[in-house]
Amino acid sequence: MPAAPQPEILAAFEAAKGFMPVDEGLALYDAAVTAGRLGLPLLEVGTYCGRSTILLADAARTAGVTALTVDHHRGSEEQQPGWDYHDPETVDPEIGLMDTLPTFRRTLHRAGLEEHVVALVGRSPQIAAVWNSPLGFVFIDGGHTDEHARADYEGWAPHVAEDGLLVIHDVFPHPEDEFTGQAPYRVYLRALDSGAFEEIPATGSLRVLRRTGAGI
């Protein structure tokens, strides 16, 4: 039986600003609970406003570990003005740039999960370059260009401990999804081709891979 969040946590997830559908959120939660049994931190790349962070934080609380979430909070490419995923409410009126950090903090506060999350505010490659500890779980959900998806994979996948989980969001194998999902799809294929990961059944665009112990 897959692990499931309490109704109040699921309600907080559904109320939070973000894009992840419920079925993928439930699969993410189950994977995070499973990985939490290793006793290592759970890390997310791509916080946005904290929708998925709610689930990781609750899974971390259950396991007695910490959830880490990495984001510069200026928005990825498809969230900028003029694009379909832009939300004007996330723009800082003083400087005219996106700033999702205040919304993220409110999201965690409302869910009662602030003490279970460490927010790493900065660009993923810079943070990964100074990270040197094993992780039980890495969730890649950052930028959707090849440059950013590749950097997230190369920066964080090597830190996934043996039997830990690498989860990749927005994996769309069809060429018509080039902008939203082809870069994550290519990273997913790279992870499988490395021989370092084996696949667990997918849910929607969410792919869950287990670290087998082989080198990346």
Side-chain angles (χ1 to χ4, degrees), residues 55-189:
L55 300 177
L56 299 188
D58 189 61
R61 174 171 62 180
T62 299
V65 300
T66 299
L68 307 157
T69 185
V70 177
D71 203 311
H72 49 64
H73 288 280
R74 295 300 188 200
S76 56
E77 300 79 11
E78 69 275 11
Q79 294 162 359
Q80 302 307 317
W83 293 95
D84 290 344
Y85 293 97
H86 178 63
D87 184 342
E89 292 183 358
T90 64
V91 175
D92 182 334
E94 183 173 332
I95 63 174
L97 298 175
M98 286 183 63
D99 185 1
T100 56
L101 183 57
T103 305
F104 161 69
R105 296 199 68 174
R106 287 191 292 270
T107 297
L108 283 190
H109 176 74
R110 289 168 182 158
L113 292 167
E114 286 182 290
E115 65 184 87
H116 301 284
V117 178
V118 173
L120 302 172
V121 181
R123 297 193 174 273
S124 171
Q126 292 174 299
I127 297 172
V130 297
W131 188 266
N132 59 9
S133 299
L135 299 163
F137 178 97
V138 168
F139 175 42
I140 296 179
D141 192 23
H144 287 63
T145 65
D146 279 303
E147 175 190 1
H148 291 127
R150 182 172 59 248
D152 290 340
Y153 173 78
E154 292 176 353
W156 294 107
H159 296 294
V160 178
E162 186 172 355
D163 290 327
L165 299 181
L166 173 67
V167 182
I168 306 171
H169 194 218
D170 293 327
V171 173
F172 295 107
H174 303 297
E176 59 265 29
D177 295 315
E178 173 62 36
F179 186 72
T180 57
Q182 283 282 280
Y185 175 61
R186 285 187 278 270
V187 164
Y188 153 75
L189 292 179

Side-chain angles (χ1 to χ4, degrees), residues 4-6 8-10 29 32-33 42 52-64 67 111 113 116-117:
Q6 293 297 311
E8 64 272 17
I9 296 298
L10 184 59
Y29 182 83
V33 169
L42 315 177
S52 55
T53 318
I54 288 173
L55 300 177
L56 299 188
D58 189 61
R61 174 171 62 180
T62 299
L113 292 167
H116 301 284
V117 178

